[in-house]
Amino acid sequence: MMLSEEKLERLDALLSSTDRFSIETIDGLFSAAITGPAEAQLEDCIAILDADSVKPWASAADEREAHALLEALWKMIAWRVSRDPDDLEDEAMPLLDMPIEFEELDDIDQYKGDFPIASDWAVGFRMGVKEWVSEWSELEDDETSQFLGIVTTLSSDQAPSGVDEDGAKLPSFKERMTLLNVIPHYLSAFHRRRVRAAHPGTIRHEGDKVGRNDLCTCGSGKKYKKCCGAG
């Protein structure tokens, strides 16, 4: 269900050409929309991406292609959060930019830089929370509060000094990686909560086969064959 590198590169080029957000930021926004408490749809997120000072698409064909790729990205994220992160391993992680120095390391624990890994993803997730703030504000459980605290921490930039302009301590790269690794588990839990709320009694256990005419496990309300099972 993962998008190919070629399609991701094409989407990135289309987004960059119109000054829209990065794929990492969009991954965060879509994740908040898909797993959050609001009845958010892809079209709502595209409207957010089209706001502010973005450039118009170069052609109608480019716009159609970009929207098709964004829909594929949406379905990929919906599929990702509906699975057990332990089964997906690396595929459970959001799409993130990585420092180029990673290519030269055998073990990322050796990295000594201050690259703000996952900051753009967290910014995108916070955009989704802000867009549907009334629904998110109704969630007062510890799990949600803890995760939103993680997102706030990750959304900060980094500085060589290790502190921000107000003197507050910034998370180290190692601390960021620790926080990043728990994101898939929170999103999976939020997804299960959303599906339970929207379709009581339709939650399936891991290993159960989803029929093509069954409701999609991503919580969209569509049949599986018309949603994540398409194509």
Side-chain angles (χ1 to χ4, degrees):
M1 195 66 188
M2 301 299 289
L3 281 176
S4 67
E5 286 296 323
E6 181 181 11
K7 288 185 177 180
L8 288 172
E9 289 175 2
R10 177 56 180 162
L11 177 58
D12 181 62
L14 289 167
L15 295 169
S16 298
S17 69
T18 57
D19 292 340
R20 281 169 169 79
F21 293 104
S22 68
I23 290 177
E24 178 178 335
T25 305
I26 295 172
D27 192 307
L29 172 62
F30 284 9
S31 295
I34 291 168
T35 66
E39 289 298 320
Q41 303 296 327
L42 172 61
E43 292 75 13
D44 302 319
C45 292
I46 288 179
I48 296 173
L49 302 179
D50 288 344
D52 299 328
S53 57
V54 298
K55 297 178 182 177
W57 298 105
S59 65
D62 276 4
E63 182 175 10
R64 288 193 299 272
E65 182 181 9
H67 284 196
L69 289 170
L70 287 170
E71 181 178 7
L73 178 61
W74 175 278
K75 288 183 176 181
M76 186 199 80
I77 295 171
W79 171 82
R80 187 178 72 200
V81 300
S82 70
R83 266 57 180 179
D84 185 336
D86 292 332
D87 292 339
L88 293 182
E89 298 181 344
D90 290 345
E91 289 185 349
M93 300 302 293
L95 299 173
L96 305 176
D97 290 330
M98 297 291 182
I100 193 169
E101 294 92 336
F102 269 22
E103 299 177 5
E104 304 169 2
L105 299 176
D106 295 326
D107 184 352
I108 61 173
D109 287 339
Q110 301 171 351
Y111 180 69
K112 303 300 181 184
D114 57 5
F115 185 83
I117 193 165
S119 61
D120 283 353
W121 186 91
V123 167
F125 197 95
R126 293 183 71 181
M127 287 168 53
V129 173
K130 181 179 179 181
E131 183 69 19
W132 294 284
V133 64
S134 60
E135 289 88 350
W136 279 94
S137 63
E138 293 176 0
L139 300 178
E140 300 178 347
D141 58 288
D142 291 342
E143 189 173 38
T144 301
S145 298
Q146 290 167 1
F147 182 68
L148 293 182
I150 289 172
V151 169
T152 298
T153 298
L154 287 174
S155 66
S156 64
D157 287 328
Q158 288 299 96
S161 64
V163 297
D164 64 18
E165 58 185 14
D166 297 321
K169 182 180 180 297
L170 292 168
S172 66
F173 183 81
K174 186 174 182 179
E175 289 169 334
R176 280 182 172 273
M177 289 300 297
T178 299
L179 296 176
L180 173 59
N181 286 330
V182 302
I183 286 177
H185 296 277
Y186 275 101
L187 295 182
S188 178
F190 292 164
H191 167 265
R192 292 194 299 272
R193 177 180 63 190
R194 173 165 172 164
V195 175
R196 281 196 300 268
H199 310 288
T202 63
I203 293 292
R204 297 176 180 273
H205 298 289
E206 286 297 323
D208 286 352
K209 184 176 180 180
V210 182
R212 288 182 58 76
N213 289 311
D214 291 336
L215 289 176
C216 189
T217 56
C218 76
S220 66
K222 300 178 182 179
K223 291 184 178 180
Y224 180 70
K225 66 183 180 181
K226 295 291 187 179
C227 193
C228 294

